[in-house]
Amino acid sequence: MSQKKKMKTLAITEKTKISRSAKRGSYEIDTINAILDEGLFCHIAYEHDGQPMMIPTAYCRINDKIYIHGSVGSHFMRMLAEGKDICFVVSLIDGLVLARSAFHHSVNYRSVIAFAKAEVVTDEDERWNALEQITEHLVPNRWADVREPYKNEMQKTMILSFTLDEASAKIRTGDPIDDEEDYALPVWAGILPLKVRASAPIPDPRLIPSVSIPEYLHNYKRGEK
Amino acid sequence: MSQKKKMKTLAITEKTKISRSAKRGSYEIDTINAILDEGLFCHIAYEHDGQPMMIPTAYCRINDKIYIHGSVGSHFMRMLAEGKDICFVVSLIDGLVLARSAFHHSVNYRSVIAFAKAEVVTDEDERWNALEQITEHLVPNRWADVREPYKNEMQKTMILSFTLDEASAKIRTGDPIDDEEDYALPVWAGILPLKVRASAPIPDPRLIPSVSIPEYLHNYKRGEK
């Protein structure tokens, strides 16, 4: 009997059903989570007075929930707090796919799309944990170093969450796919790998001189352990 | 009298008026164009049956127009071709802003948002030019190397455009801004610069051995001349 572990997958819905290049789609929770955990920021679309709007923002994932934060005065946060339908996307570009023909040029990417309605998080422990994890999502091990939020800072901050129950991933990997007769052309073809990389940390001019660069900023990488 | 050149700016509209951190906003065309030309891909939001939808896709800018392309069979392209309102965003992350307090952590970014209705491009010269420039936007100097589109490939491709007349940029740069009393804390603060970088091109396994890596793939960079 097969010992292969069955991957946990999300149900496919009308909204998450992938129509173009369906073989690139995935509903596996582990696949979706890996993309969400590597992404630095997301884009969130919503509708206001019949007009589609969109905002790039930070986020974190805790189990099957996404959390975002913002000012209680933010128009965006207040719109979402009303329970509007949102479309959430995280997109990672892994490389440019250079084919021999213009037509078959492509991009290697990994993206997640989720549909949800956001809810205001009111439980103080959950709010605190979300802020900690949003910070840790950007810079792992940072939270333990910083001055924690004051009560008045917490009061100024809105936390929204939504559950990842209507989501899918879409992934392209691998070499260019050219028309068979084009493989004979003397045109360079292949992948130009792209990645978000950090360069040397730049200390704040007012940094206390005795404070050195923390270990977690050396070799900062996304999506690699 | 001042010799300072007056920057060309777009009119501020209700949709593009920046309400949060308004000092980060810009309506200068040169500022907007520089971000658009550096970005690799955009996100486009639209509405379908009351649901906000969003797609990441490639694009190019030619003068004051944005062009995107896709299959004539693409649901996304066909939706946009109907003249729906769209929200177009390009986001660049330049660095993580590490403050001494959790609350003042931020991100250095440059983003452009535009509102428009897309139109189907029907002029064959304009369509060809758009495809050339979408390729050149991803990899400058690539077009001259590749096998150009066949007529049947052109027929399978839809090109949409919209004019950048309702757009704004939003930019955060510089050091963290901490509460005055927090500057005395022994917490590392500063910027972790981030950038999309290329690594060595990976030749297609079926590449003709005599074809070497083209000059334009060496030291591939976004946003630097």
Side-chain angles (χ1 to χ4, degrees), chain A residues 43 91 99-100 142 147 180 182 184 188 191 195 197 202 204 206 208, chain B residues 43 91 99-100 142 147 180 182 184 188-189 191 195 197 202 206 208:
Chain A
H43 286 79
S91 307
R100 293 148 184 91
R142 180 67 178 163
R147 195 267 288 158
E180 194 52 42
D182 286 340
W188 192 89
I191 304 294
K195 194 154 185 65
R197 291 183 199 280
I202 303 169
D204 185 309
R206 293 181 63 183
I208 294 176
Chain B
H43 286 79
S91 308
R100 293 148 185 92
R142 180 68 179 164
R147 195 267 288 157
E180 194 51 43
D182 286 339
W188 193 89
I191 304 294
K195 196 155 183 65
R197 290 183 201 283
I202 302 168
R206 294 182 62 183
I208 294 176

PDB file of all heavy atoms in Angstrom, chain A residues 43 91 99-100 142 147 180 182 184 188 191 195 197 202 204 206 208, chain B residues 43 91 99-100 142 147 180 182 184 188-189 191 195 197 202 206 208:
ATOM      1  N   HIS A  43      -0.932  42.401  -2.111  1.00  0.00           N
ATOM      2  CA  HIS A  43      -1.832  43.417  -2.649  1.00  0.00           C
ATOM      3  C   HIS A  43      -3.254  43.000  -2.283  1.00  0.00           C
ATOM      4  O   HIS A  43      -3.594  41.816  -2.408  1.00  0.00           O
ATOM      5  CB  HIS A  43      -1.699  43.531  -4.169  1.00  0.00           C
ATOM      6  CG  HIS A  43      -0.434  44.212  -4.604  1.00  0.00           C
ATOM      7  ND1 HIS A  43       0.773  43.573  -4.630  1.00  0.00           N
ATOM      8  CD2 HIS A  43      -0.199  45.499  -5.005  1.00  0.00           C
ATOM      9  CE1 HIS A  43       1.716  44.434  -5.052  1.00  0.00           C
ATOM     10  NE2 HIS A  43       1.152  45.609  -5.283  1.00  0.00           N
ATOM     11  N   SER A  91       2.541  37.695  -4.906  1.00  0.00           N
ATOM     12  CA  SER A  91       3.196  37.295  -6.158  1.00  0.00           C
ATOM     13  C   SER A  91       4.708  37.278  -5.971  1.00  0.00           C
ATOM     14  O   SER A  91       5.274  38.267  -5.511  1.00  0.00           O
ATOM     15  CB  SER A  91       2.898  38.309  -7.275  1.00  0.00           C
ATOM     16  OG  SER A  91       1.513  38.522  -7.407  1.00  0.00           O
ATOM     17  N   ALA A  99      12.564  32.562 -24.253  1.00  0.00           N
ATOM     18  CA  ALA A  99      12.377  31.569 -25.309  1.00  0.00           C
ATOM     19  C   ALA A  99      13.063  32.052 -26.579  1.00  0.00           C
ATOM     20  O   ALA A  99      13.538  33.190 -26.665  1.00  0.00           O
ATOM     21  CB  ALA A  99      10.885  31.348 -25.556  1.00  0.00           C
ATOM     22  N   ARG A 100      13.115  31.178 -27.575  1.00  0.00           N
ATOM     23  CA  ARG A 100      13.715  31.555 -28.863  1.00  0.00           C
ATOM     24  C   ARG A 100      12.771  32.452 -29.660  1.00  0.00           C
ATOM     25  O   ARG A 100      13.204  33.221 -30.502  1.00  0.00           O
ATOM     26  CB  ARG A 100      14.053  30.296 -29.662  1.00  0.00           C
ATOM     27  CG  ARG A 100      15.173  29.475 -28.999  1.00  0.00           C
ATOM     28  CD  ARG A 100      15.017  27.994 -29.245  1.00  0.00           C
ATOM     29  NE  ARG A 100      16.019  27.184 -28.547  1.00  0.00           N
ATOM     30  CZ  ARG A 100      15.828  26.681 -27.310  1.00  0.00           C
ATOM     31  NH1 ARG A 100      14.700  26.905 -26.654  1.00  0.00           N
ATOM     32  NH2 ARG A 100      16.775  25.971 -26.736  1.00  0.00           N
ATOM     33  N   ARG A 142      13.187  39.639  15.111  1.00  0.00           N
ATOM     34  CA  ARG A 142      13.252  41.068  15.399  1.00  0.00           C
ATOM     35  C   ARG A 142      12.493  41.432  16.665  1.00  0.00           C
ATOM     36  O   ARG A 142      12.914  42.308  17.426  1.00  0.00           O
ATOM     37  CB  ARG A 142      12.672  41.854  14.207  1.00  0.00           C
ATOM     38  CG  ARG A 142      12.675  43.378  14.378  1.00  0.00           C
ATOM     39  CD  ARG A 142      14.063  43.941  14.409  1.00  0.00           C
ATOM     40  NE  ARG A 142      14.085  45.399  14.534  1.00  0.00           N
ATOM     41  CZ  ARG A 142      15.156  46.087  14.899  1.00  0.00           C
ATOM     42  NH1 ARG A 142      16.312  45.468  15.162  1.00  0.00           N
ATOM     43  NH2 ARG A 142      15.117  47.408  14.993  1.00  0.00           N
ATOM     44  N   ARG A 147      11.423  47.774  21.266  1.00  0.00           N
ATOM     45  CA  ARG A 147      10.536  48.291  22.316  1.00  0.00           C
ATOM     46  C   ARG A 147       9.113  47.910  21.937  1.00  0.00           C
ATOM     47  O   ARG A 147       8.631  48.279  20.859  1.00  0.00           O
ATOM     48  CB  ARG A 147      10.718  49.821  22.433  1.00  0.00           C
ATOM     49  CG  ARG A 147      10.134  50.434  23.701  1.00  0.00           C
ATOM     50  CD  ARG A 147       8.717  50.931  23.512  1.00  0.00           C
ATOM     51  NE  ARG A 147       8.657  52.135  22.686  1.00  0.00           N
ATOM     52  CZ  ARG A 147       7.582  52.511  22.037  1.00  0.00           C
ATOM     53  NH1 ARG A 147       6.464  51.767  22.062  1.00  0.00           N
ATOM     54  NH2 ARG A 147       7.599  53.618  21.304  1.00  0.00           N
ATOM     55  N   GLU A 180       8.598  23.395 -31.806  1.00  0.00           N
ATOM     56  CA  GLU A 180       9.640  22.398 -32.081  1.00  0.00           C
ATOM     57  C   GLU A 180      10.656  22.902 -33.118  1.00  0.00           C
ATOM     58  O   GLU A 180      11.865  22.747 -32.937  1.00  0.00           O
ATOM     59  CB  GLU A 180       8.994  21.081 -32.524  1.00  0.00           C
ATOM     60  CG  GLU A 180       9.943  19.906 -32.508  1.00  0.00           C
ATOM     61  CD  GLU A 180      10.705  19.716 -31.185  1.00  0.00           C
ATOM     62  OE1 GLU A 180      10.089  19.853 -30.110  1.00  0.00           O
ATOM     63  OE2 GLU A 180      11.931  19.464 -31.230  1.00  0.00           O
ATOM     64  N   ASP A 182      11.648  25.821 -33.729  1.00  0.00           N
ATOM     65  CA  ASP A 182      12.465  26.945 -33.264  1.00  0.00           C
ATOM     66  C   ASP A 182      13.681  26.514 -32.447  1.00  0.00           C
ATOM     67  O   ASP A 182      14.602  27.310 -32.223  1.00  0.00           O
ATOM     68  CB  ASP A 182      11.619  27.922 -32.431  1.00  0.00           C
ATOM     69  CG  ASP A 182      10.666  28.753 -33.293  1.00  0.00           C
ATOM     70  OD1 ASP A 182      10.914  28.859 -34.513  1.00  0.00           O
ATOM     71  OD2 ASP A 182       9.684  29.295 -32.741  1.00  0.00           O
ATOM     72  N   ALA A 184      16.015  24.831 -33.278  1.00  0.00           N
ATOM     73  CA  ALA A 184      17.220  24.871 -34.122  1.00  0.00           C
ATOM     74  C   ALA A 184      17.788  26.276 -34.276  1.00  0.00           C
ATOM     75  O   ALA A 184      18.890  26.450 -34.810  1.00  0.00           O
ATOM     76  CB  ALA A 184      16.886  24.288 -35.500  1.00  0.00           C
ATOM     77  N   TRP A 188      19.904  32.545 -27.932  1.00  0.00           N
ATOM     78  CA  TRP A 188      20.093  32.096 -26.544  1.00  0.00           C
ATOM     79  C   TRP A 188      18.726  31.956 -25.890  1.00  0.00           C
ATOM     80  O   TRP A 188      17.880  32.853 -25.985  1.00  0.00           O
ATOM     81  CB  TRP A 188      20.956  33.080 -25.746  1.00  0.00           C
ATOM     82  CG  TRP A 188      21.369  32.458 -24.425  1.00  0.00           C
ATOM     83  CD1 TRP A 188      22.479  31.716 -24.209  1.00  0.00           C
ATOM     84  CD2 TRP A 188      20.644  32.490 -23.185  1.00  0.00           C
ATOM     85  NE1 TRP A 188      22.509  31.272 -22.915  1.00  0.00           N
ATOM     86  CE2 TRP A 188      21.397  31.726 -22.253  1.00  0.00           C
ATOM     87  CE3 TRP A 188      19.444  33.057 -22.759  1.00  0.00           C
ATOM     88  CZ2 TRP A 188      20.993  31.533 -20.927  1.00  0.00           C
ATOM     89  CZ3 TRP A 188      19.031  32.865 -21.443  1.00  0.00           C
ATOM     90  CH2 TRP A 188      19.807  32.111 -20.546  1.00  0.00           C
ATOM     91  N   ILE A 191      16.742  30.549 -18.590  1.00  0.00           N
ATOM     92  CA  ILE A 191      16.119  31.267 -17.472  1.00  0.00           C
ATOM     93  C   ILE A 191      17.092  32.297 -16.923  1.00  0.00           C
ATOM     94  O   ILE A 191      18.274  31.997 -16.730  1.00  0.00           O
ATOM     95  CB  ILE A 191      15.763  30.274 -16.337  1.00  0.00           C
ATOM     96  CG1 ILE A 191      14.871  29.138 -16.841  1.00  0.00           C
ATOM     97  CG2 ILE A 191      15.134  31.010 -15.150  1.00  0.00           C
ATOM     98  CD1 ILE A 191      13.498  29.566 -17.290  1.00  0.00           C
ATOM     99  N   LYS A 195      15.674  37.210  -7.762  1.00  0.00           N
ATOM    100  CA  LYS A 195      15.357  37.000  -6.353  1.00  0.00           C
ATOM    101  C   LYS A 195      15.485  38.326  -5.619  1.00  0.00           C
ATOM    102  O   LYS A 195      16.320  39.155  -5.967  1.00  0.00           O
ATOM    103  CB  LYS A 195      16.328  35.973  -5.752  1.00  0.00           C
ATOM    104  CG  LYS A 195      15.876  35.450  -4.412  1.00  0.00           C
ATOM    105  CD  LYS A 195      16.441  34.068  -4.138  1.00  0.00           C
ATOM    106  CE  LYS A 195      15.871  33.527  -2.846  1.00  0.00           C
ATOM    107  NZ  LYS A 195      14.413  33.287  -2.903  1.00  0.00           N
ATOM    108  N   ARG A 197      16.943  40.309  -2.848  1.00  0.00           N
ATOM    109  CA  ARG A 197      18.125  40.111  -1.998  1.00  0.00           C
ATOM    110  C   ARG A 197      18.402  41.353  -1.180  1.00  0.00           C
ATOM    111  O   ARG A 197      18.157  42.470  -1.611  1.00  0.00           O
ATOM    112  CB  ARG A 197      19.359  39.797  -2.859  1.00  0.00           C
ATOM    113  CG  ARG A 197      19.281  38.455  -3.527  1.00  0.00           C
ATOM    114  CD  ARG A 197      20.549  38.131  -4.313  1.00  0.00           C
ATOM    115  NE  ARG A 197      20.264  37.076  -5.277  1.00  0.00           N
ATOM    116  CZ  ARG A 197      20.197  35.784  -4.970  1.00  0.00           C
ATOM    117  NH1 ARG A 197      20.405  35.371  -3.739  1.00  0.00           N
ATOM    118  NH2 ARG A 197      19.927  34.894  -5.905  1.00  0.00           N
ATOM    119  N   ILE A 202      22.145  49.377   6.736  1.00  0.00           N
ATOM    120  CA  ILE A 202      22.635  50.762   6.867  1.00  0.00           C
ATOM    121  C   ILE A 202      22.187  51.293   8.226  1.00  0.00           C
ATOM    122  O   ILE A 202      20.991  51.503   8.437  1.00  0.00           O
ATOM    123  CB  ILE A 202      22.069  51.649   5.738  1.00  0.00           C
ATOM    124  CG1 ILE A 202      22.447  51.070   4.366  1.00  0.00           C
ATOM    125  CG2 ILE A 202      22.540  53.095   5.897  1.00  0.00           C
ATOM    126  CD1 ILE A 202      21.710  51.716   3.204  1.00  0.00           C
ATOM    127  N   ASP A 204      21.141  53.570  11.309  1.00  0.00           N
ATOM    128  CA  ASP A 204      20.548  54.889  11.501  1.00  0.00           C
ATOM    129  C   ASP A 204      21.654  55.844  11.981  1.00  0.00           C
ATOM    130  O   ASP A 204      22.454  55.480  12.848  1.00  0.00           O
ATOM    131  CB  ASP A 204      19.449  54.744  12.569  1.00  0.00           C
ATOM    132  CG  ASP A 204      18.663  56.030  12.790  1.00  0.00           C
ATOM    133  OD1 ASP A 204      19.280  57.095  13.004  1.00  0.00           O
ATOM    134  OD2 ASP A 204      17.431  55.953  12.769  1.00  0.00           O
ATOM    135  N   ARG A 206      21.600  58.085  14.028  1.00  0.00           N
ATOM    136  CA  ARG A 206      21.510  58.338  15.464  1.00  0.00           C
ATOM    137  C   ARG A 206      21.661  57.057  16.295  1.00  0.00           C
ATOM    138  O   ARG A 206      21.360  57.046  17.489  1.00  0.00           O
ATOM    139  CB  ARG A 206      20.179  59.035  15.788  1.00  0.00           C
ATOM    140  CG  ARG A 206      20.101  60.441  15.199  1.00  0.00           C
ATOM    141  CD  ARG A 206      18.796  61.119  15.540  1.00  0.00           C
ATOM    142  NE  ARG A 206      18.650  61.321  16.983  1.00  0.00           N
ATOM    143  CZ  ARG A 206      17.560  61.839  17.549  1.00  0.00           C
ATOM    144  NH1 ARG A 206      16.530  62.201  16.798  1.00  0.00           N
ATOM    145  NH2 ARG A 206      17.486  61.990  18.856  1.00  0.00           N
ATOM    146  N   ILE A 208      23.109  54.344  18.652  1.00  0.00           N
ATOM    147  CA  ILE A 208      24.128  54.322  19.708  1.00  0.00           C
ATOM    148  C   ILE A 208      25.313  53.502  19.192  1.00  0.00           C
ATOM    149  O   ILE A 208      25.143  52.360  18.759  1.00  0.00           O
ATOM    150  CB  ILE A 208      23.533  53.689  20.988  1.00  0.00           C
ATOM    151  CG1 ILE A 208      22.420  54.591  21.538  1.00  0.00           C
ATOM    152  CG2 ILE A 208      24.617  53.461  22.030  1.00  0.00           C
ATOM    153  CD1 ILE A 208      21.703  54.001  22.736  1.00  0.00           C
TER     154      ILE A 208
ATOM    155  N   HIS B  43       0.037  44.722 -10.805  1.00  0.00           N
ATOM    156  CA  HIS B  43      -1.200  44.054 -10.406  1.00  0.00           C
ATOM    157  C   HIS B  43      -2.351  44.896 -10.940  1.00  0.00           C
ATOM    158  O   HIS B  43      -2.316  46.136 -10.837  1.00  0.00           O
ATOM    159  CB  HIS B  43      -1.307  43.941  -8.893  1.00  0.00           C
ATOM    160  CG  HIS B  43      -0.397  42.897  -8.305  1.00  0.00           C
ATOM    161  ND1 HIS B  43       0.940  43.113  -8.092  1.00  0.00           N
ATOM    162  CD2 HIS B  43      -0.636  41.624  -7.899  1.00  0.00           C
ATOM    163  CE1 HIS B  43       1.488  42.008  -7.572  1.00  0.00           C
ATOM    164  NE2 HIS B  43       0.552  41.098  -7.435  1.00  0.00           N
ATOM    165  N   SER B  91       4.420  48.155  -7.473  1.00  0.00           N
ATOM    166  CA  SER B  91       5.005  48.352  -6.138  1.00  0.00           C
ATOM    167  C   SER B  91       6.449  47.884  -6.127  1.00  0.00           C
ATOM    168  O   SER B  91       6.721  46.744  -6.514  1.00  0.00           O
ATOM    169  CB  SER B  91       4.255  47.515  -5.097  1.00  0.00           C
ATOM    170  OG  SER B  91       2.871  47.754  -5.157  1.00  0.00           O
ATOM    171  N   ALA B  99      12.978  50.264  13.119  1.00  0.00           N
ATOM    172  CA  ALA B  99      12.984  51.280  14.167  1.00  0.00           C
ATOM    173  C   ALA B  99      13.303  50.624  15.509  1.00  0.00           C
ATOM    174  O   ALA B  99      13.363  49.389  15.612  1.00  0.00           O
ATOM    175  CB  ALA B  99      11.629  51.969  14.213  1.00  0.00           C
ATOM    176  N   ARG B 100      13.500  51.463  16.533  1.00  0.00           N
ATOM    177  CA  ARG B 100      13.776  50.928  17.875  1.00  0.00           C
ATOM    178  C   ARG B 100      12.498  50.391  18.513  1.00  0.00           C
ATOM    179  O   ARG B 100      12.546  49.530  19.381  1.00  0.00           O
ATOM    180  CB  ARG B 100      14.391  52.033  18.742  1.00  0.00           C
ATOM    181  CG  ARG B 100      15.794  52.443  18.250  1.00  0.00           C
ATOM    182  CD  ARG B 100      16.079  53.897  18.500  1.00  0.00           C
ATOM    183  NE  ARG B 100      17.361  54.319  17.937  1.00  0.00           N
ATOM    184  CZ  ARG B 100      17.496  54.828  16.701  1.00  0.00           C
ATOM    185  NH1 ARG B 100      16.446  54.960  15.890  1.00  0.00           N
ATOM    186  NH2 ARG B 100      18.679  55.212  16.278  1.00  0.00           N
ATOM    187  N   ARG B 142      16.405  42.507 -25.977  1.00  0.00           N
ATOM    188  CA  ARG B 142      16.050  41.124 -26.290  1.00  0.00           C
ATOM    189  C   ARG B 142      15.389  40.980 -27.658  1.00  0.00           C
ATOM    190  O   ARG B 142      15.621  40.002 -28.377  1.00  0.00           O
ATOM    191  CB  ARG B 142      15.103  40.568 -25.208  1.00  0.00           C
ATOM    192  CG  ARG B 142      14.638  39.137 -25.406  1.00  0.00           C
ATOM    193  CD  ARG B 142      15.771  38.150 -25.255  1.00  0.00           C
ATOM    194  NE  ARG B 142      15.353  36.769 -25.418  1.00  0.00           N
ATOM    195  CZ  ARG B 142      16.178  35.751 -25.642  1.00  0.00           C
ATOM    196  NH1 ARG B 142      17.481  35.957 -25.718  1.00  0.00           N
ATOM    197  NH2 ARG B 142      15.729  34.527 -25.766  1.00  0.00           N
ATOM    198  N   ARG B 147      12.957  35.229 -32.479  1.00  0.00           N
ATOM    199  CA  ARG B 147      12.104  34.988 -33.642  1.00  0.00           C
ATOM    200  C   ARG B 147      10.830  35.803 -33.434  1.00  0.00           C
ATOM    201  O   ARG B 147      10.120  35.632 -32.450  1.00  0.00           O
ATOM    202  CB  ARG B 147      11.822  33.477 -33.742  1.00  0.00           C
ATOM    203  CG  ARG B 147      11.249  33.037 -35.088  1.00  0.00           C
ATOM    204  CD  ARG B 147       9.740  33.009 -35.120  1.00  0.00           C
ATOM    205  NE  ARG B 147       9.206  31.913 -34.338  1.00  0.00           N
ATOM    206  CZ  ARG B 147       7.969  31.917 -33.849  1.00  0.00           C
ATOM    207  NH1 ARG B 147       7.155  32.954 -34.041  1.00  0.00           N
ATOM    208  NH2 ARG B 147       7.553  30.883 -33.123  1.00  0.00           N
ATOM    209  N   GLU B 180      11.171  60.366  20.279  1.00  0.00           N
ATOM    210  CA  GLU B 180      12.435  60.972  20.706  1.00  0.00           C
ATOM    211  C   GLU B 180      13.092  60.197  21.858  1.00  0.00           C
ATOM    212  O   GLU B 180      14.304  59.953  21.844  1.00  0.00           O
ATOM    213  CB  GLU B 180      12.203  62.450  21.099  1.00  0.00           C
ATOM    214  CG  GLU B 180      13.466  63.269  21.232  1.00  0.00           C
ATOM    215  CD  GLU B 180      14.408  63.173  20.017  1.00  0.00           C
ATOM    216  OE1 GLU B 180      13.925  63.211  18.864  1.00  0.00           O
ATOM    217  OE2 GLU B 180      15.627  63.023  20.238  1.00  0.00           O
ATOM    218  N   ASP B 182      13.011  57.142  22.527  1.00  0.00           N
ATOM    219  CA  ASP B 182      13.479  55.797  22.154  1.00  0.00           C
ATOM    220  C   ASP B 182      14.877  55.808  21.516  1.00  0.00           C
ATOM    221  O   ASP B 182      15.516  54.749  21.413  1.00  0.00           O
ATOM    222  CB  ASP B 182      12.484  55.127  21.196  1.00  0.00           C
ATOM    223  CG  ASP B 182      11.209  54.655  21.902  1.00  0.00           C
ATOM    224  OD1 ASP B 182      11.244  54.480  23.133  1.00  0.00           O
ATOM    225  OD2 ASP B 182      10.194  54.465  21.212  1.00  0.00           O
ATOM    226  N   ALA B 184      17.503  56.676  22.691  1.00  0.00           N
ATOM    227  CA  ALA B 184      18.515  56.286  23.692  1.00  0.00           C
ATOM    228  C   ALA B 184      18.576  54.762  23.884  1.00  0.00           C
ATOM    229  O   ALA B 184      19.490  54.261  24.539  1.00  0.00           O
ATOM    230  CB  ALA B 184      18.201  56.965  25.023  1.00  0.00           C
ATOM    231  N   TRP B 188      19.398  48.011  17.696  1.00  0.00           N
ATOM    232  CA  TRP B 188      19.884  48.338  16.358  1.00  0.00           C
ATOM    233  C   TRP B 188      18.730  48.898  15.536  1.00  0.00           C
ATOM    234  O   TRP B 188      17.640  48.310  15.495  1.00  0.00           O
ATOM    235  CB  TRP B 188      20.478  47.119  15.655  1.00  0.00           C
ATOM    236  CG  TRP B 188      21.240  47.533  14.430  1.00  0.00           C
ATOM    237  CD1 TRP B 188      22.560  47.874  14.354  1.00  0.00           C
ATOM    238  CD2 TRP B 188      20.716  47.705  13.099  1.00  0.00           C
ATOM    239  NE1 TRP B 188      22.900  48.249  13.081  1.00  0.00           N
ATOM    240  CE2 TRP B 188      21.790  48.161  12.285  1.00  0.00           C
ATOM    241  CE3 TRP B 188      19.459  47.544  12.525  1.00  0.00           C
ATOM    242  CZ2 TRP B 188      21.629  48.436  10.927  1.00  0.00           C
ATOM    243  CZ3 TRP B 188      19.310  47.827  11.171  1.00  0.00           C
ATOM    244  CH2 TRP B 188      20.375  48.264  10.377  1.00  0.00           C
ATOM    245  N   ALA B 189      18.995  49.990  14.867  1.00  0.00           N
ATOM    246  CA  ALA B 189      17.982  50.620  14.011  1.00  0.00           C
ATOM    247  C   ALA B 189      18.646  51.045  12.715  1.00  0.00           C
ATOM    248  O   ALA B 189      19.848  51.380  12.692  1.00  0.00           O
ATOM    249  CB  ALA B 189      17.364  51.821  14.714  1.00  0.00           C
ATOM    250  N   ILE B 191      18.277  50.697   8.090  1.00  0.00           N
ATOM    251  CA  ILE B 191      17.608  50.196   6.885  1.00  0.00           C
ATOM    252  C   ILE B 191      18.268  48.896   6.441  1.00  0.00           C
ATOM    253  O   ILE B 191      19.499  48.807   6.414  1.00  0.00           O
ATOM    254  CB  ILE B 191      17.741  51.230   5.736  1.00  0.00           C
ATOM    255  CG1 ILE B 191      17.195  52.603   6.150  1.00  0.00           C
ATOM    256  CG2 ILE B 191      17.070  50.718   4.460  1.00  0.00           C
ATOM    257  CD1 ILE B 191      15.713  52.660   6.399  1.00  0.00           C
ATOM    258  N   LYS B 195      16.555  44.510  -2.929  1.00  0.00           N
ATOM    259  CA  LYS B 195      16.497  44.763  -4.364  1.00  0.00           C
ATOM    260  C   LYS B 195      16.290  43.446  -5.107  1.00  0.00           C
ATOM    261  O   LYS B 195      16.769  42.407  -4.672  1.00  0.00           O
ATOM    262  CB  LYS B 195      17.815  45.415  -4.817  1.00  0.00           C
ATOM    263  CG  LYS B 195      17.718  46.061  -6.185  1.00  0.00           C
ATOM    264  CD  LYS B 195      18.731  47.170  -6.350  1.00  0.00           C
ATOM    265  CE  LYS B 195      18.547  47.848  -7.699  1.00  0.00           C
ATOM    266  NZ  LYS B 195      17.243  48.536  -7.805  1.00  0.00           N
ATOM    267  N   ARG B 197      17.400  41.059  -7.686  1.00  0.00           N
ATOM    268  CA  ARG B 197      18.680  40.842  -8.372  1.00  0.00           C
ATOM    269  C   ARG B 197      18.644  39.558  -9.182  1.00  0.00           C
ATOM    270  O   ARG B 197      18.000  38.590  -8.815  1.00  0.00           O
ATOM    271  CB  ARG B 197      19.819  40.761  -7.353  1.00  0.00           C
ATOM    272  CG  ARG B 197      20.118  42.090  -6.709  1.00  0.00           C
ATOM    273  CD  ARG B 197      21.295  42.001  -5.748  1.00  0.00           C
ATOM    274  NE  ARG B 197      21.245  43.099  -4.806  1.00  0.00           N
ATOM    275  CZ  ARG B 197      21.601  44.342  -5.081  1.00  0.00           C
ATOM    276  NH1 ARG B 197      22.056  44.657  -6.289  1.00  0.00           N
ATOM    277  NH2 ARG B 197      21.501  45.294  -4.169  1.00  0.00           N
ATOM    278  N   ILE B 202      20.645  30.596 -16.717  1.00  0.00           N
ATOM    279  CA  ILE B 202      20.684  29.130 -16.824  1.00  0.00           C
ATOM    280  C   ILE B 202      20.263  28.734 -18.237  1.00  0.00           C
ATOM    281  O   ILE B 202      19.100  28.896 -18.612  1.00  0.00           O
ATOM    282  CB  ILE B 202      19.724  28.488 -15.801  1.00  0.00           C
ATOM    283  CG1 ILE B 202      20.103  28.932 -14.379  1.00  0.00           C
ATOM    284  CG2 ILE B 202      19.730  26.967 -15.934  1.00  0.00           C
ATOM    285  CD1 ILE B 202      19.039  28.573 -13.340  1.00  0.00           C
ATOM    286  N   ARG B 206      18.283  22.399 -24.199  1.00  0.00           N
ATOM    287  CA  ARG B 206      18.311  22.154 -25.656  1.00  0.00           C
ATOM    288  C   ARG B 206      18.975  23.291 -26.433  1.00  0.00           C
ATOM    289  O   ARG B 206      18.873  23.348 -27.668  1.00  0.00           O
ATOM    290  CB  ARG B 206      16.890  21.908 -26.167  1.00  0.00           C
ATOM    291  CG  ARG B 206      16.283  20.613 -25.608  1.00  0.00           C
ATOM    292  CD  ARG B 206      14.895  20.359 -26.146  1.00  0.00           C
ATOM    293  NE  ARG B 206      14.875  20.181 -27.608  1.00  0.00           N
ATOM    294  CZ  ARG B 206      13.767  20.012 -28.303  1.00  0.00           C
ATOM    295  NH1 ARG B 206      12.583  19.981 -27.685  1.00  0.00           N
ATOM    296  NH2 ARG B 206      13.807  19.876 -29.620  1.00  0.00           N
ATOM    297  N   ILE B 208      21.504  25.353 -28.512  1.00  0.00           N
ATOM    298  CA  ILE B 208      22.597  25.014 -29.426  1.00  0.00           C
ATOM    299  C   ILE B 208      23.910  25.421 -28.746  1.00  0.00           C
ATOM    300  O   ILE B 208      24.058  26.570 -28.323  1.00  0.00           O
ATOM    301  CB  ILE B 208      22.417  25.762 -30.769  1.00  0.00           C
ATOM    302  CG1 ILE B 208      21.160  25.247 -31.475  1.00  0.00           C
ATOM    303  CG2 ILE B 208      23.646  25.627 -31.646  1.00  0.00           C
ATOM    304  CD1 ILE B 208      20.846  25.994 -32.745  1.00  0.00           C
TER     305      ILE B 208
END
